[in-house]
Amino acid sequence: MPLSVPLEDNPLWFKDAVIYELHVKAFCDSNEDGYGDISGLIEKLDYVQDLGIDCLWLLPFYPSPLRDDGYDISDYRDIHRAYGTREEFQRLVREAHDRGIRIMTELVINHTSDQHPWFQTARRAPAGSPERNYYVWSDSDQKYAGTRIIFTDSEKSNWTWDPLAGAFYWHRFFHHQPDLNYDNPAVLEEMIATMYYWLDMGVDAMRLDAIPYLVEREGTNCENLPETHAIIKALRKALDHRYRNRVFLAEANQWPNDVREYFGDGDECHMAYHFPVMPRIFMAVHMEDRAPITDIMERTPAIPETCQWAIFLRNHDELTLEMVTDAERDYMYRSYAPDPIMRINVGIRRRLAPLLGNDRRRIDLLNNLLFSLPGTPIIYYGDEIGMGDNVHLSDRNGVRTPMQWSSGPCAGFSKAPASRLYAPVIDDPVYGYQAVNVESQLKDPSSLLNRMKAVIRVRRSYKVFGRGTMTFLYPANRKVLAYVRKLGDTSVLVVSNLSGDRQSAELDLPDYEGHKPVDILGAKQFPCVESKPYAVTLEPYAFFWLLLRSPRDRDAADQALREAD
Ligand code: BGC
């Protein structure tokens, strides 16, 4: 029986949440066909609950030719046969909600598959007709020439010639994914109807995929245009008109000032990924210097009270290097993708553990940043056990292999013969399922999985992590990253050693004189803060989360203890 936890009636639930991203296909196969499915995921909800997750983000599970792993949708209002049925999806939502877990799905609004009936109708419809105008057409492939190509490894142009239509169609991603035309009001109406369809089934949040590219205008780079923001505002209005406590997460891989605009005045998206901080976390650890992190966070504008950043280390895509300078990109490639096979488009197709050389201290350190920097953390499935990748699989499939549940056949993911799995399980000596799996880590008190659970538990008991302010301290030793998270009377000092050697630092904490730091992740004793700088020493890659307890709090706690005796 699951531990029943009612969902809180709280419009800001997402601020305190921990999100877990997964592909239904990759999680658990219940019907032995080699593909994970919704029923399999339902079987694993207790695992997700036990990990401490508040919201599951499900990658696209709609009918699709699967040439872009489901982001190429051919029917917005159904479920791919391999993954299950609408009834099973409704049961998933119910069962997740019973465990206090919300569900986030994908609203892929920028493009469809070329197999979508809208496109098939459009290409046959007369030029200029409403049906044709569901997509963006041109007689010339020179229009919007100022627009960059995103999938640089596979596409040479954002236009593809359609012989049936006798015209070029516009696509920001693969050529088999034509972009929808938001200058046609019917497209927005369809999208709103799609959104209502899933929200009516109880979906709590929607990730708005690839939203900077909704509208094109000559003479611009066709990204983040005011007309695009108008579309997002209209979607948000339609959301708020019918529902409470539902949330949009913006996928806008842009610089912080541009992403800021997707929050609007609190009338666009509730959340947006902080793309630029992610590669800089990896850079800071490799350089053993906090500057990449402090610089980008200082360049991050304030956001409305009702909004939130979403922070992640890895996801289902390449570790994108679009939001870094050329020099930083070179550095990242040299440091983290020395073999060209590890690179794709403008990024690196590797998972967290292999990126960090499977060094447990560095994995813990990066997770510490994920859980303590401002924003809502998102864990990519499998990274909580340190799964590896398979760079020999095509596209980004090497980071999308089956979840490793046990050392049994097919990693406990499926009872199908290994040859029928949608992708081979990771099987190398270091990251293979025999060595890295949930079952064995659950039994080992010091495993990565148990450590993750413990850190998530601590994070969930302090609202300061999701809602508090952040103030950097700048000790002379730049290998030490230190910040205070503060919400009301609660202050937590987070100190991290970004280097592989022991480090000392002196922290200026004038506002906390007389406070007693209490280690909320461990049991280490710390002296009181005095008028002089606070001295800390950290082992290689170590970090502390120190609750700064005021003398008044301490007296009250001592008094409570005496009374309890
Ligand atoms: C998704 C990718 C996908 C792309 C185009 C992105 O935002 O995260 O996985 O390939 O959209 O559909």
Side-chain angles (χ1 to χ4, degrees), residues 22-266:
L22 65 86
H23 203 315
V24 170
K25 175 182 81 175
F27 213 52
C28 179
D29 172 17
S30 74
N31 63 358
E32 305 180 20
D33 67 352
Y35 278 72
D37 45 49
I38 294 172
S39 293
L41 172 55
I42 295 172
E43 284 171 27
K44 297 297 186 188
L45 282 177
D46 289 346
Y47 168 78
V48 175
Q49 182 181 24
D50 187 44
L51 185 55
I53 299 303
D54 305 277
C55 179
L56 273 182
W57 156 23
L58 305 180
L59 291 165
F61 48 72
Y62 316 103
S64 159
L66 299 182
R67 295 176 72 188
D68 184 16
D69 211 12
Y71 280 96
D72 48 333
I73 296 173
S74 57
D75 182 352
Y76 280 105
R77 295 176 215 163
D78 205 348
I79 291 177
H80 194 293
R81 258 189 315 177
Y83 307 148
T85 62
R86 276 177 266 210
E87 290 66 37
E88 282 163 343
F89 182 77
Q90 278 169 306
R91 188 158 80 82
L92 169 68
V93 173
R94 260 196 328 273
E95 296 250 6
H97 284 177
D98 283 350
R99 291 166 174 82
I101 300 170
R102 298 184 207 242
I103 298 286
M104 173 155 64
T105 56
E106 293 268 354
L107 195 61
V108 182
I109 60 180
N110 180 67
H111 49 269
T112 68
S113 158
D114 60 4
Q115 299 308 304
H116 196 291
W118 297 340
F119 188 72
Q120 291 304 324
T121 307
R123 58 202 296 234
R124 291 174 173 87
S129 65
E131 291 79 13
R132 172 73 74 105
N133 285 341
Y134 264 53
Y135 295 87
V136 181
W137 301 92
S138 167
D139 294 334
S140 149
D141 61 357
Q142 297 307 307
K143 224 172 152 184
Y144 312 137
T147 312
R148 71 186 165 121
I149 291 169
I150 297 171
F151 284 168
T152 47
D153 282 4
S154 47
E155 302 299 331
K156 296 282 161 278
S157 166
N158 289 317
W159 291 106
T160 289
W161 175 253
D162 180 24
L164 212 58
F168 292 95
Y169 61 88
W170 178 250
H171 54 87
R172 290 305 304 275
F173 295 95
F174 288 122
H175 62 277
H176 54 76
Q177 285 167 314
D179 276 29
L180 286 160
N181 175 16
Y182 280 89
D183 286 327
N184 177 352
V187 170
L188 179 60
E189 279 167 33
E190 293 276 11
M191 245 355 120
I192 291 175
T194 299
M195 174 173 100
Y196 285 168
Y197 178 85
W198 293 104
L199 293 173
D200 284 347
M201 280 205 230
V203 163
D204 303 280
M206 300 196 115
R207 173 184 182 269
L208 304 186
D209 182 60
I211 50 173
Y213 324 117
L214 300 185
V215 178
E216 303 73 35
R217 290 291 178 263
E218 201 57 83
T220 74
N221 66 359
C222 296
E223 300 192 3
N224 312 318
L225 300 185
E227 293 87 342
T228 288
H229 285 284
I231 300 292
I232 306 294
K233 283 188 203 300
L235 272 176
R236 174 64 185 269
K237 208 163 158 206
L239 177 83
D240 289 347
H241 178 66
R242 292 238 313 226
Y243 306 92
R244 286 165 54 74
N245 304 342
R246 312 293 175 101
V247 165
F248 283 157
L249 166 59
E251 196 223 8
N253 185 357
Q254 303 283 328
W255 291 99
N257 279 330
D258 292 324
V259 182
R260 163 68 188 82
E261 297 305 311
Y262 290 93
F263 295 118
D265 296 322

